[in-house]
Amino acid sequence: MTVAGATGRNDPCPCGSGRKYKQCCGRQRSASPQITPASAAASAQRARSAQAHLQQAVQHEAAGRLGDAVAAHRAAVHLTPENPVAHFNLGVTCLKANLLPEAAASLRHALDLQPDFGRAQFSLGMALQRQGHDAPAEQAYRAAIALGARRVEAYARLGDLLEARGEVAEAAACFRRAAADDSVMGRLNQAKALIAGNDREAAVVLLRRTVARAPDNSDAHWTLGAVLISLGRFDEAVPHLDRAMALAPTSVGPFSSRALAGRLTEADRPAVARMVALFDTGSLGDAARIRLGFALGKAFDDLGDYATAIRYFDAANAIEKRLTTFDRDRLTAWVDRLIEHCTPDWFALHAGLGVPDETPVFIVGMPRSGTTLIEQVVSSHPTVGGGDELDFWLRRGPAWESSGTEGLTPGAIGRLAEDYLAVLRGIAPDSLRVTDKLPLNLMWLGLIHLVFPRARIIHCRRHPVDTCLSLYFTQFLQRTDFAHDRGDLVFRYREYERLMRHWRDTLPAERFLEVDYAAVVADPEASARRLIEFCGLDWDDACLRPEDNQRVVKTASMWQARQPVYRTSVERWRNYEPWLGELRSLLPEPS
C-alpha cells in the first residue's frame, strides 16, 4: 500500500540515486512485514532531508568548500544509512578533500550495500592507491573494469600499478586498452604502452606531437620529460619538466622527476619552496607524501642543507616503514639454508647438470653499491649487451627451490637455462655477453652457478654506511622492505655480509670477481680493464666512457649513469654523521 504523501516502492527514490525506492532507501523497510503510515511518512521525510543535504553538498563543493561538502554528505548518510549512493557521494568527496581513510571506509560501505556498484569500486581503488595500498587498489580497479565502470581510467591506473611492480607486459596491455581514442589522455596512454614495451623513441615522437597539440597539458610535458630522462637526454627533459611544474605548481610528479634529472641549484629554490609548503600542509596522501619526501630530501642534499634533507628522508621512510613489514627471522633462516645447502660438495655432486654457456654476466651486491656503474662500464664494450635488472631468478627461483629433487634433473636445469638464454637473446641477440644487474640475485647465486657454471659473477662492494644511507635516500619503484629503518638496514647488511662470505669461499675464483666502488672511481681505467679481462673479452676504449653508453637506464641511478665517473659519493656518509644512529655500528673501529 502507498500512503498519501509518501514514496511508493516503485517510485524514484527521493535521495536522487536514480534507483527505485524499494531498491535504495526503502530496501530494508520494504522487507518489513508491516509499514505504518507514520513510519512511511518518516522514511520519506528522511529521504527528502537527505536530498536537501546532497544539494547543499553540491553547492559547497562548487564553491570550493570541501569541508562543508563533506559535512553535508555525512548528514545525508546519517539520515539514510542504507543508501549506497549516499555513502558513495561521501566517499568521493572525502577523496577530493584528501580524507583518504574515511573515503575508503565510505566506499566500502557503499559496496557492502550494493556489491555491483562499479563507480564505487573505481573510487575505492583511487583512495587505496593514494594511501600506498597497491594490492587492494589493484583488486578494486579490476572489479571496476569487470563491472564496466570508468574502464579507460581504471585500465590506465591498473597499468601504472602493474608497471611499478615490474609486470610490464600486462601493464602495456592495460595502457593499450586505455588508449581508446585520439584524445590527449588516449595519446598519453598509448605512449605509456610504448614505454612499457621498451619502444621509448616511438613514445618520444608521439609525446612531442601530443605536447604540440596540447601545450598547456601538464601530464603531457611531464611524461615526455620522464621518458627523455630514461634515455639520458636531460637537457631536453628539463624544459618539459619545468613547464609541467609551471602548469601544475602543486603537482608532486613533475617535481620528483625534475629532482632526478640532475642536481638542483639555487635557481630551483622557488619550486623547492612550493613543494615544502605542499608537504607541510599534510594534505597529501601517503603515496604522494612518500614521493615528495624523497624528492625534497634529494633537493636539500643537492643544496648542501643536510639537516633539512634528513628531515624529509626520515618523514618519507617513516611512511614507507608503516606500509611494509621486514621479517628478520625469515631472512636469517633463508641465509642459513643457503649456507648449509650450497656447499662445494653439493656443487660437485651436481656438476654435470649445468650448461657451458658463457653469455650471462651477473652483477650483484647490495642495492646502491655501484652495480649500475659497473654495468655501464661492462656494457659499453661493443660485444656486451646491457640487460639491466632482470627478475627471472626472483620469479623462477622459488618454484625451483620448492620442487626438491625434481628440480635437480637435466631436464629441469636445461629448461631454466634455455628460458633464461631466450630472455638474454631477446635483449641482445648478437652479443657475446649480456649483463643482469639485479643486485639481489645474490640470494640465488647457488642456483645460478648450478645452471650456468661458466657464467661470470661480479660482486660490487661499497662502504657499508654509504650503501645504507643511499638505500635510505632512495624511493624504489618496488618497495624494499628493509630500507626504511636504520636498524633494519644494519641487520640486512650483516646478513648480506654473511652470505657473501659464503659465496666467496664456495664459488670458483675464476668465475667470481669482487670490485670496490671506491677503487673503481679512484682508478677507472685499471678497474675497467680488470672487468673486461674477467669477462674474457678483448679491451675496447669505449669502456673508459661509460657516460656515453646509450642503453636505457630504468633504475634510480639514471642520472648518475650518464655522468663521467666521479668521486663525490665516496664517504658521503660524513655529511650525515650527526644523524647516523644505528648505522654508526657499521663504521670500522678506530685504529
Side-chain angles (χ1 to χ4, degrees):
M1 141 180 131
T2 301
V3 179
T7 304
R9 294 179 67 249
N10 291 310
D11 291 339
C13 188
C15 77
S17 68
R19 297 165 68 87
K20 292 181 179 180
Y21 177 65
K22 67 181 180 182
Q23 296 170 333
C24 192
C25 296
R27 179 184 296 181
Q28 297 299 323
R29 295 174 184 87
S30 65
S32 177
Q34 292 183 345
I35 301 177
T36 66
S39 63
S43 177
Q45 179 57 46
R46 284 194 297 271
R48 285 191 290 272
S49 296
Q51 179 66 15
H53 283 297
L54 174 61
Q55 292 171 350
Q56 291 173 0
V58 171
Q59 293 168 0
H60 288 314
E61 190 169 328
R65 299 188 295 268
L66 286 177
D68 291 336
V70 168
H73 281 304
R74 286 173 181 154
V77 165
H78 179 73
L79 288 164
T80 55
E82 295 155 4
N83 179 3
V85 176
H87 289 282
F88 170 75
N89 290 334
L90 174 58
V92 169
T93 305
C94 286
L95 190 57
K96 294 175 183 176
N98 212 46
L99 302 172
L100 300 179
E102 183 177 358
S106 297
L107 293 163
R108 285 192 171 106
H109 276 303
L111 288 163
D112 287 341
L113 293 164
Q114 185 181 331
D116 63 349
F117 202 156
R119 289 181 299 153
Q121 287 284 13
F122 174 79
S123 296
L124 177 60
M126 291 181 64
L128 294 168
Q129 185 178 10
R130 284 169 57 183
Q131 292 179 84
H133 303 318
D134 292 349
E138 177 187 338
Q139 294 175 357
Y141 289 138
R142 290 189 186 278
I145 290 167
L147 292 166
R150 307 282 291 271
R151 290 173 65 90
V152 169
E153 295 163 282
Y155 270 124
R157 290 179 174 275
L158 177 59
D160 288 338
L161 289 174
L162 293 169
E163 186 176 36
R165 201 168 65 210
E167 297 182 16
V168 292
E170 189 178 357
C174 287
F175 291 136
R176 283 192 293 271
R177 291 187 179 99
D181 53 38
D182 195 39
S183 66
V184 173
M185 188 55 62
R187 284 171 170 248
L188 288 177
N189 282 307
Q190 185 182 348
K192 286 183 176 183
L194 292 169
I195 294 166
N198 279 326
D199 195 352
R200 284 171 166 75
E201 292 294 351
V204 167
V205 172
L206 175 61
L207 288 165
R208 288 197 189 283
R209 291 202 302 263
T210 304
V211 164
R213 176 177 172 178
D216 294 333
N217 187 287
S218 172
D219 286 342
H221 284 283
W222 173 29
T223 307
L224 176 55
V227 70
L228 287 169
I229 288 174
S230 72
L231 292 167
R233 290 151 64 176
F234 302 105
D235 290 343
E236 295 178 57
V238 167
H240 290 288
L241 296 172
D242 286 344
R243 179 62 176 153
M245 289 193 295
L247 290 166
T250 60
S251 181
V252 171
F255 178 80
S256 177
S257 296
R258 180 66 180 83
L260 290 175
R263 295 190 183 281
L264 300 186
T265 67
E266 291 297 324
D268 299 302
R269 284 278 187 182
V272 173
R274 285 199 306 271
M275 292 298 107
V276 166
L278 179 61
F279 189 93
D280 290 347
T281 63
S283 64
L284 299 173
D286 283 348
R289 284 181 66 80
I290 290 168
R291 187 169 194 170
L292 184 54
F294 280 114
L296 284 171
K298 197 268 186 184
F300 283 107
D301 182 89
D302 287 347
L303 296 168
D305 185 349
Y306 305 117
T308 304
I310 197 65
R311 179 162 69 88
Y312 286 105
F313 285 133
D314 282 344
N317 278 291
I319 303 170
E320 288 270 35
K321 182 173 174 58
R322 176 163 50 81
L323 297 172
T324 57
T325 301
F326 177 47
D327 190 336
R328 295 187 180 191
D329 292 339
R330 180 174 179 272
L331 174 62
T332 297
W334 191 4
V335 173
D336 287 344
R337 189 166 66 250
L338 288 171
I339 292 173
E340 180 182 353
H341 189 72
C342 299
T343 63
D345 289 344
W346 183 79
F347 283 119
L349 179 63
H350 302 293
L353 292 177
V355 300
D357 197 291
E358 297 187 45
T359 303
V361 177
F362 295 94
I363 301 171
V364 301
M366 284 288 284
R368 311 300 295 165
S369 63
T371 55
T372 298
L373 172 60
I374 297 305
E375 183 175 47
Q376 281 290 96
V377 171
V378 174
S379 64
S380 293
H381 195 284
T383 67
V384 179
D388 203 54
E389 297 186 354
L390 305 177
D391 66 352
F392 181 90
W393 301 100
L394 295 186
R395 290 186 292 105
R396 299 290 291 273
W400 174 84
E401 187 178 47
S402 65
S403 67
T405 56
E406 293 180 5
L408 292 170
T409 64
I413 298 300
R415 282 190 295 275
L416 278 173
E418 186 55 39
D419 290 349
Y420 185 65
L421 290 173
V423 172
L424 301 189
R425 294 187 196 107
I427 295 168
D430 300 321
S431 295
L432 290 178
R433 306 282 184 268
V434 182
T435 58
D436 180 346
K437 66 156 291 274
L438 188 70
L440 296 182
N441 273 339
L442 62 89
M443 305 299 293
W444 296 104
L445 289 184
L447 172 60
I448 286 168
H449 183 63
L450 180 69
V451 178
F452 293 106
R454 296 185 62 79
R456 273 83 171 177
I457 298 167
I458 301 170
H459 172 216
C460 299
R461 299 184 300 200
R462 184 183 178 191
H463 191 290
V465 182
D466 278 340
T467 301
C468 290
L469 275 180
S470 188
L471 279 160
Y472 193 72
F473 294 167
T474 301
Q475 183 184 13
F476 295 93
L477 283 177
Q478 300 179 49
R479 286 200 175 95
T480 305
D481 54 5
F482 60 85
H484 312 299
D485 176 90
R486 291 167 176 80
D488 287 343
L489 278 164
V490 171
F491 187 88
R492 181 66 178 81
Y493 196 90
R494 294 299 191 200
E495 289 300 296
Y496 147 76
E497 286 185 312
R498 187 163 70 96
L499 181 59
M500 293 315 299
R501 280 195 299 271
H502 172 72
W503 295 134
R504 187 181 303 119
D505 295 339
T506 303
L507 299 176
E510 69 275 12
R511 297 293 154 189
F512 184 81
L513 177 70
E514 294 189 288
V515 294
D516 288 292
Y517 179 80
V520 172
V521 300
D523 192 343
E525 180 171 353
S527 298
R529 288 184 178 276
R530 181 172 175 235
L531 286 163
I532 298 306
E533 181 182 5
F534 173 71
C535 291
L537 302 171
D538 294 331
W539 174 251
D540 193 286
D541 283 345
C543 299
L544 296 177
R545 301 182 299 278
E547 68 273 16
D548 293 339
N549 191 330
Q550 295 304 303
R551 72 185 183 89
V552 172
V553 179
K554 305 174 188 176
T555 68
S557 301
M558 59 181 68
W559 181 79
Q560 294 92 328
R562 307 296 185 180
Q563 312 309 309
V565 176
Y566 56 89
R567 302 189 62 181
T568 54
S569 290
V570 176
E571 294 200 339
R572 183 189 181 195
W573 64 268
R574 294 188 183 278
N575 296 327
Y576 292 91
E577 188 167 5
W579 306 283
L580 291 181
E582 290 156 292
L583 295 179
R584 197 174 297 278
S585 67
L586 294 175
L587 293 172
E589 293 290 334
S591 55

